[in-house]
Amino acid sequence: MNKKLVVIGGDAAGMSAASKVRREKPGWEIVVFEKSPHTSYAACGIPYYIADQVKQSESLIARTPETFIKDYQIQAKVNHEVLQIDPENRRILVKNLKSEATFWETYDELLIATGAAPILPDLPGIDATGVFSLSTLQSGIEARAYIDLNIPKKAVIVGGGYIGVEMAEALLDRDMHVTLVDRSSQLMRTLDPDMAILLADYMAENGIMLYMDESLTKIPTDGKGKVRQVETNKRKLEADVVIIGIGITPRSDLAKTAGLKLGDSGAILVNRHMRTSVNHIWAAGDCATSYHILREEETFRALGTIANKQGLVAGSNICGEKIEFPGIVGTAITKFLDMEIARTGLSESEAKEMNLEYDTSAIKSSNVASYYPGSAPIHVKLLARKDNKRIIGGQIVGFKGSAKRIDTIAAAIMGKLTTFDLAFMDLSYAPPFSGVWDPVQIAARRLL
Amino acid sequence: MNKKLVVIGGDAAGMSAASKVRREKPGWEIVVFEKSPHTSYAACGIPYYIADQVKQSESLIARTPETFIKDYQIQAKVNHEVLQIDPENRRILVKNLKSEATFWETYDELLIATGAAPILPDLPGIDATGVFSLSTLQSGIEARAYIDLNIPKKAVIVGGGYIGVEMAEALLDRDMHVTLVDRSSQLMRTLDPDMAILLADYMAENGIMLYMDESLTKIPTDGKGKVRQVETNKRKLEADVVIIGIGITPRSDLAKTAGLKLGDSGAILVNRHMRTSVNHIWAAGDCATSYHILREEETFRALGTIANKQGLVAGSNICGEKIEFPGIVGTAITKFLDMEIARTGLSESEAKEMNLEYDTSAIKSSNVASYYPGSAPIHVKLLARKDNKRIIGGQIVGFKGSAKRIDTIAAAIMGKLTTFDLAFMDLSYAPPFSGVWDPVQIAARRLL
C-alpha cells in the first residue's frame, strides 16, 4: 500500500530519509517542508565560504529543490514553515512564507528533521546589524555579503567551540584583526585542557587575540543599529563584525507542543529506529537525540555525519526495514590554519562524570617519519578503562595528516579493542605517512 | 639471575628487542652482531634519500652503535658477521669483517634478526657497476653516491612492487628518464588489478615508461663492467643505472643450517611468542614468519612495522613476560608523487585462494568535501565475507589524505566489524578532511 511521507526540514537528515524512501518506495507521495530557501546544503562548509576558500554558495548545495522535484519526485517546498503538528488527525499546519497562506497537510508517516538553532543570549545589541550566528546557509550568505560589502577590519568572535575556531581562521583569511572571547577557561571544551591549550597557543601565535573567562554583556551599536563594540564583564572591544558561536539548541518546540517526549537535552527523544514517543512520527538529525555507545544513553550531538546516518536509518525504517542506529562515540574534527584537531570517545571530564576508573597517556611525536620533509608535531592522548583496558577516548592535535587518525581510535572503540590491541595493531607505515610506530600506537604503548 | 642475550642483526627487530631487554633487565649482558656498518636505520627511507628529499644518510639512522654502547650499555658490534650457530653449546661463530678474526661467542638467549635479502636473478651482468638492489642502508648510500657522481640520464627499474614504485618517484626526482619492467601483467600485485591499474595509469601520465609482461634476460655492460643496457625477452633498453626490486627472501640460512624449522616461505618459523623450534633461540623481523590473522597461518611479510613489533614481543618474552604477537592483516602503504596507495586484509586473489565467499565494492569519491579547495579523487575497494558480513579487505588509491584511511579498515578487521558496523561507524567529518560520508563508509554502504 502506498503511503504519504511528510518531512519537516529539508537538510541532511530530512533529505537523506526522503531520498531513501524514494529509492525503496517509488509509488509513495513524499512532501518536504523547509523554512529556508535551501535544501541539502553543507552547513559545515559555511566558514570556508565566508573565508572565500569556497567561492560560490551554490557549491555548498548538494541538491536544489528543483532537483528533488524533477529527478526524485520529492515535493520539496522551501519557504514553508510548519506551525503545528496534530498527531491525532495525522496532519500538520503549514505556512507559505511567501504568500503567507496557511493550510493543513495530512500524512501517513511524519519525519521531524528541524535541526538545531544557535543559542543567542538575550543581551542589548544581539540583533544589531553585523552580528551573525551561523547555522543556516542563508545566515552564511548574509554574513559573507555583509563582509564583502563592508570590509570589516575588526572582528569579535564570542565562543571558542568548533564554529568559533573555524570562523577565526575564516576572518583571519579575510584580513581582519580577530578577537575571540569565551566565558570558560579553555577553548574547545570537548577536549581536555592539556590538549586544548595547544590550539590556544597556536591561535595566539597566529594573531588571534584570546580573552578567556570573559562573558559577553552588551553589543553597543551606532545610531543606525550597526555593531560598534563588544562589551564583556572585563573590557570593551572595538568590533565591525561579531560572530556568536556559544552553542546550539535542538529545534524541538513543534514536537514538544504536540506532546512528544524530549530527552534531558531538550532534543526529541527517539529510539534506535528513530521513532519518537508518538505513533507514525519519527525524528532524525540535530533536533533528535543520539545514542552514545560509551555513555549508554541518549545525548544531544548536532553533527552532519550523525544527521545523515540517522536520516538514512529513519528512511529505512519508515519503509519497513528494521535497521538500528548503532550510536555515536562523540567523534569530531576541525582545523585552524595548519593545525588539525580531533577527538573521539570520552574526555577526562566525561569519564570522571561517569565515575569510570581510567588510565591516560599523552605523547608528542611527528606526523610523518621524523626525517621526511614536512615532518611536524602531533600530540595524541588516549584514555583506557582501568578494569578491562578498553580504549574509551582519544584526542589529537597536530599538523598535516594528524587528525584523521582519530578514525583509527574511533574504530578501536567501536570494536571494543584494548590498549594492547591498539598498540600492536597492523597499521600502515611508510615514511611519507608515519613513523614506524604510528603516533596513535606510541600513545597506546605508553598505556601498557 | 642475570643472563647474556646475543642478537644477530642490529636493525629494527634486533635493536627493539635489545632495547626492551635493557629497560627491563639492567644487569644483563647484551651483545649485538651486525654485518653492515650501521644499526637501527630506516630502510624504508632509502628511496627518499636517493631522491634527495632526505639530504643526509645519517638522518635515516635512529641510533648509532656508539649510542647503543654509551647510553644503553648494549655492545653493538658492527662489521661483524655471524657464520654459524651451535645450539647444543649455546654459542655462535663470529667473524670480525675488519680484522678477519673469527671467535666463538656464548649466549644464554639468542635472537636471530637477520632480516631479508633482495632476490637477484642469476643473469649475465647482474653484478655490473650501476646495478643496485636496495635493502641495507649501505646499498642505499652506494646507489646515491653512484647517481651523484655519474648523473645518469636513463634508469631502468626491474620489478613493480613497493620498491619499484618508490624508486620510480625517486629517479624521476633526480631528472632521469625512467622505465619500469615487470614480468607480471600488473604493478603492485598485493592490490587487485582494478586498483593497480589506477596507479599504472598515473605513473604513465607522469612519464614513467611501463613494460608489463616482460622478463629481464641480461644486463649488457661496457668494457669496464658498467651497465649499458637492459635486455628483456621483448626489447633492449638503454640504461645508465638499474634498480632490481623483484622481491626479497628471508635470511634464514644460518638458522636452517643450525637445524631450526622454517616456514613454507623459507622464513624462520616462530610461535606467537617469537620462539623458534630450538630452545633459547628466538627470531623476529624480516627473517621470521608472521602470523596472519585472516589467513590463520604463518606467512612471510618483510615490513618495518612488523619487525619493530616482533622485536618488542621477542624482547618482552626473553625477559620472562608473556606477550603474544597478535598477528598481522597485511597492511601496507606507499605513494608515487601525489598518488597514495594502501591495502589491508585480503585481496580478491587471496580470498579466492582461501575459497572464501566474499562480496566486493569499489567506489570513487573525493578525499575532502567535493567543494573544498584541493578536492581530488579517492578510490576505495572493500571485501566482506558473504556469510558473516565481516570486513576482510580494503584497498585505497587516491590523492592527499587518502591512504592513511586504510588504518580505519585495518582496525575494523581487527575488531571483527561487519559492513554495517563500518558503514554506520562514527567517523570524523569536516570539509577539509572528508565528505559527510567518509569514502570508506560510502564503499561499506555499497556492500549493504
Side-chain angles (χ1 to χ4, degrees):
Chain A
M1 193 193 69
N2 283 332
K3 287 184 175 182
K4 177 178 174 184
L5 167 66
V6 172
V7 177
I8 311 176
D11 200 8
M15 284 316 197
S16 289
S19 301
K20 171 68 181 173
V21 172
R22 173 50 71 237
R23 283 197 298 278
E24 304 298 329
K25 303 288 184 187
W28 283 27
E29 183 182 354
I30 305 175
V31 187
V32 178
F33 296 106
E34 164 60 42
K35 199 165 83 172
S36 86
H38 306 287
T39 53
S40 285
Y41 55 87
C44 305
I46 291 172
Y48 308 99
Y49 169 62
I50 292 175
D52 198 31
Q53 295 174 21
V54 174
K55 302 295 173 186
Q56 306 289 334
S57 64
E58 291 75 17
S59 305
L60 301 183
I61 298 173
R63 290 186 193 89
T64 62
E66 293 71 31
T67 305
F68 279 112
I69 294 166
K70 196 161 160 258
D71 299 343
Y72 295 77
Q73 290 79 52
I74 291 171
Q75 301 170 52
K77 301 189 172 178
V78 293
N79 300 308
H80 279 69
E81 183 175 6
V82 175
L83 304 176
Q84 194 188 325
I85 301 170
D86 175 4
E88 205 157 327
N89 299 299
R90 289 212 216 165
R91 60 179 192 167
I92 60 174
L93 184 62
V94 186
K95 182 178 184 182
N96 179 331
L97 297 177
K98 294 255 156 128
S99 71
E100 306 231 330
T102 60
F103 56 92
W104 288 98
E105 182 93 18
T106 60
Y107 63 83
D108 294 313
E109 304 292 339
L110 177 69
L111 173 67
I112 307 176
T114 41
I119 293 169
L120 292 177
D122 185 18
L123 291 173
I126 196 76
D127 295 326
T129 305
V131 178
F132 299 94
S133 61
L134 303 163
S135 59
T136 60
L137 178 55
Q138 192 55 30
S139 66
I141 290 171
E142 286 164 13
R144 166 141 179 190
Y146 179 87
I147 290 167
D148 288 351
L149 188 69
N150 294 278
I151 313 175
K153 293 276 167 253
K154 291 178 180 169
V156 175
I157 297 170
V158 183
Y162 291 90
I163 287 183
V165 169
E166 290 166 7
M167 284 306 300
E169 172 183 315
L171 300 183
L172 211 55
D173 259 23
R174 300 297 303 264
D175 297 322
M176 291 180 217
H177 180 267
V178 180
T179 301
L180 193 152
V181 177
D182 196 299
R183 67 177 175 177
S184 102
S185 58
Q186 75 166 76
L187 292 175
M188 304 280 282
R189 276 182 296 153
T190 57
L191 300 178
D192 288 327
D194 55 334
M195 298 299 281
I197 193 71
L198 300 167
L199 172 62
D201 288 348
Y202 189 69
M203 290 179 76
E205 276 166 31
N206 282 278
I208 308 292
M209 183 66 81
L210 296 173
Y211 291 116
M212 307 309 292
D213 292 309
E214 288 195 24
S215 303
L216 176 68
T217 53
K218 189 180 172 186
I219 302 179
T221 54
D222 66 11
K224 293 169 193 159
K226 194 167 163 178
V227 60
R228 190 170 54 81
Q229 276 186 338
V230 165
E231 280 187 28
T232 74
N233 55 337
K234 294 189 185 164
R235 76 194 75 236
K236 292 178 185 181
L237 298 159
E238 299 303 308
D240 307 320
V241 65
V242 175
I243 307 291
I244 308 285
I246 58 175
I248 49 173
T249 183
R251 291 188 201 267
S252 55
D253 284 352
L254 267 179
K256 188 180 175 188
T257 307
L260 277 69
K261 276 192 195 151
L262 305 186
D264 294 339
S265 56
I268 304 168
L269 190 67
V270 290
N271 68 9
R272 307 283 281 277
H273 295 99
M274 311 315 295
R275 285 181 187 275
T276 69
S277 59
V278 170
N279 264 345
H280 305 290
I281 304 185
W282 313 71
D286 293 358
C287 65
T289 58
S290 299
Y291 181 75
H292 195 298
I293 291 169
L294 291 165
R295 299 176 67 94
E296 298 181 342
E297 63 182 1
E298 294 292 336
T299 57
F300 170 59
R301 294 284 188 286
L303 282 172
T305 39
I306 302 173
N308 270 277
K309 291 184 186 105
Q310 289 191 339
L312 181 59
V313 170
S316 302
N317 289 316
I318 289 169
C319 293
E321 296 175 17
K322 295 274 178 204
I323 292 184
E324 284 201 354
F325 178 63
I328 63 166
V329 291
T331 311
I333 192 169
T334 190
K335 78 178 192 73
F336 172 78
L337 303 178
D338 293 332
M339 179 172 270
E340 306 178 356
I341 306 103
R343 55 99 60 224
T344 190
L346 305 175
S347 64
E348 285 203 61
S349 63
E350 284 179 294
K352 279 175 188 146
E353 191 191 309
M354 291 170 67
N355 290 315
L356 280 181
E357 299 262 320
Y358 64 91
D359 290 311
T360 179
S361 70
I363 64 100
K364 182 182 179 183
S365 181
S366 64
N367 55 348
V368 299
S370 56
Y371 55 80
Y372 190 80
S375 153
I378 173 174
H379 298 257
V380 180
K381 179 170 183 172
L382 288 177
L383 274 75
R385 287 177 68 125
K386 262 195 201 297
D387 52 2
N388 57 19
K389 309 295 179 197
R390 282 191 190 155
I391 300 291
I392 55 169
Q395 296 167 48
I396 297 175
V397 176
F399 294 90
K400 190 180 161 196
S402 291
K404 248 298 188 180
R405 284 172 158 99
I406 205 72
D407 290 350
T408 311
I409 305 173
I413 294 174
M414 301 293 273
K416 302 185 193 305
L417 300 185
T418 65
T419 309
F420 183 85
D421 296 333
L422 182 55
F424 283 91
M425 190 179 279
D426 190 9
L427 299 184
S428 59
Y429 155 63
F433 299 97
S434 177
V436 69
W437 288 94
D438 190 276
V440 168
Q441 297 187 302
I442 297 176
R445 277 182 65 187
R446 187 68 61 84
L447 277 174
L448 287 177
Chain B
M1 193 193 69
N2 282 334
K3 287 186 178 181
K4 176 176 174 186
L5 168 65
V6 173
V7 177
I8 311 176
D11 199 9
M15 284 315 197
S16 290
S19 303
K20 171 68 181 173
V21 172
R22 173 51 69 237
R23 283 196 299 277
E24 303 298 331
K25 303 288 184 187
W28 284 28
E29 183 182 356
I30 305 175
V31 187
V32 178
F33 296 105
E34 164 60 40
K35 198 165 83 171
S36 86
H38 306 288
T39 53
S40 285
Y41 56 86
C44 304
I46 291 172
Y48 308 100
Y49 169 62
I50 293 176
D52 198 31
Q53 294 174 23
V54 174
K55 302 294 174 189
Q56 306 290 334
S57 64
E58 291 75 17
S59 305
L60 301 183
I61 298 173
R63 289 187 194 89
T64 62
E66 293 70 32
T67 305
F68 279 112
I69 294 165
K70 193 159 164 259
D71 299 345
Y72 294 78
Q73 291 78 52
I74 291 172
Q75 301 170 51
K77 301 190 172 178
V78 293
N79 300 307
H80 279 69
E81 184 176 5
V82 175
L83 304 176
Q84 193 189 326
I85 301 171
D86 174 6
E88 206 157 325
N89 299 300
R90 291 211 215 165
R91 59 180 192 165
I92 60 174
L93 183 63
V94 186
K95 181 178 182 180
N96 179 330
L97 296 177
K98 294 255 158 127
S99 71
E100 306 231 329
T102 60
F103 57 93
W104 288 97
E105 181 93 17
T106 59
Y107 63 81
D108 294 314
E109 303 292 337
L110 177 70
L111 173 66
I112 307 176
T114 41
I119 293 170
L120 292 178
D122 184 17
L123 290 172
I126 195 75
D127 295 325
T129 306
V131 178
F132 299 95
S133 61
L134 303 163
S135 59
T136 59
L137 178 55
Q138 191 56 28
S139 66
I141 290 173
E142 286 164 12
R144 168 142 178 187
Y146 180 87
I147 290 167
D148 289 351
L149 188 68
N150 294 279
I151 314 176
K153 293 275 166 254
K154 290 177 181 170
V156 175
I157 296 170
V158 183
Y162 290 90
I163 286 184
V165 168
E166 290 166 7
M167 283 306 300
E169 173 183 315
L171 300 183
L172 211 55
D173 258 24
R174 299 298 301 262
D175 296 323
M176 292 180 217
H177 179 268
V178 180
T179 301
L180 192 153
V181 177
D182 195 298
R183 67 178 175 178
S184 102
S185 57
Q186 75 166 77
L187 292 174
M188 304 281 281
R189 277 182 297 153
T190 57
L191 300 178
D192 289 326
D194 54 332
M195 299 299 281
I197 191 72
L198 301 166
L199 171 63
D201 288 349
Y202 188 69
M203 289 180 77
E205 275 166 33
N206 283 279
I208 308 292
M209 183 67 81
L210 296 173
Y211 292 116
M212 308 307 294
D213 292 308
E214 287 193 26
S215 303
L216 176 68
T217 53
K218 190 180 171 186
I219 302 178
T221 55
D222 65 11
K224 294 170 193 158
K226 193 167 163 179
V227 61
R228 189 170 53 81
Q229 277 186 336
V230 165
E231 280 187 28
T232 73
N233 55 338
K234 293 189 185 163
R235 78 195 72 235
K236 293 177 183 178
L237 298 160
E238 299 303 308
D240 306 319
V241 65
V242 174
I243 306 292
I244 308 286
I246 60 175
I248 49 174
T249 183
R251 290 188 202 266
S252 54
D253 284 353
L254 267 180
K256 189 180 175 187
T257 307
L260 277 69
K261 277 193 195 148
L262 305 186
D264 295 338
S265 56
I268 303 168
L269 190 67
V270 291
N271 69 9
R272 306 283 281 278
H273 293 100
M274 310 315 296
R275 283 182 188 275
T276 69
S277 58
V278 171
N279 263 347
H280 304 290
I281 304 185
W282 313 70
D286 293 359
C287 65
T289 58
S290 300
Y291 181 75
H292 194 299
I293 291 170
L294 292 165
R295 299 176 66 96
E296 297 181 344
E297 63 182 2
E298 293 293 335
T299 56
F300 169 59
R301 293 284 188 287
L303 282 173
T305 40
I306 301 173
N308 270 279
K309 291 184 186 104
Q310 289 191 339
L312 181 59
V313 171
S316 302
N317 289 316
I318 288 168
C319 292
E321 295 176 17
K322 294 275 179 204
I323 291 184
E324 284 202 354
F325 178 62
I328 62 166
V329 292
T331 311
I333 192 169
T334 190
K335 79 178 190 74
F336 173 78
L337 302 178
D338 293 332
M339 179 173 269
E340 306 178 357
I341 305 104
R343 56 98 62 223
T344 190
L346 305 175
S347 63
E348 285 203 59
S349 63
E350 284 179 294
K352 278 175 188 147
E353 190 192 308
M354 291 171 67
N355 290 315
L356 279 181
E357 300 261 322
Y358 64 90
D359 290 311
T360 179
S361 71
I363 63 100
K364 182 181 179 183
S365 181
S366 64
N367 55 348
V368 299
S370 56
Y371 55 80
Y372 189 80
S375 153
I378 173 174
H379 298 257
V380 179
K381 179 170 184 173
L382 288 177
L383 274 74
R385 286 176 67 123
K386 261 195 201 299
D387 52 1
N388 58 19
K389 309 294 179 198
R390 282 191 190 155
I391 300 290
I392 54 168
Q395 296 167 47
I396 297 176
V397 176
F399 294 91
K400 190 182 160 193
S402 290
K404 249 297 188 181
R405 283 173 160 99
I406 205 73
D407 290 349
T408 312
I409 305 174
I413 293 173
M414 302 291 275
K416 301 185 194 304
L417 300 185
T418 65
T419 309
F420 183 85
D421 296 333
L422 181 55
F424 282 91
M425 189 179 279
D426 191 9
L427 299 184
S428 59
Y429 156 63
F433 298 98
S434 176
V436 70
W437 289 93
D438 189 277
V440 168
Q441 297 188 301
I442 296 175
R445 276 182 64 188
R446 186 70 61 83
L447 276 175
L448 288 177

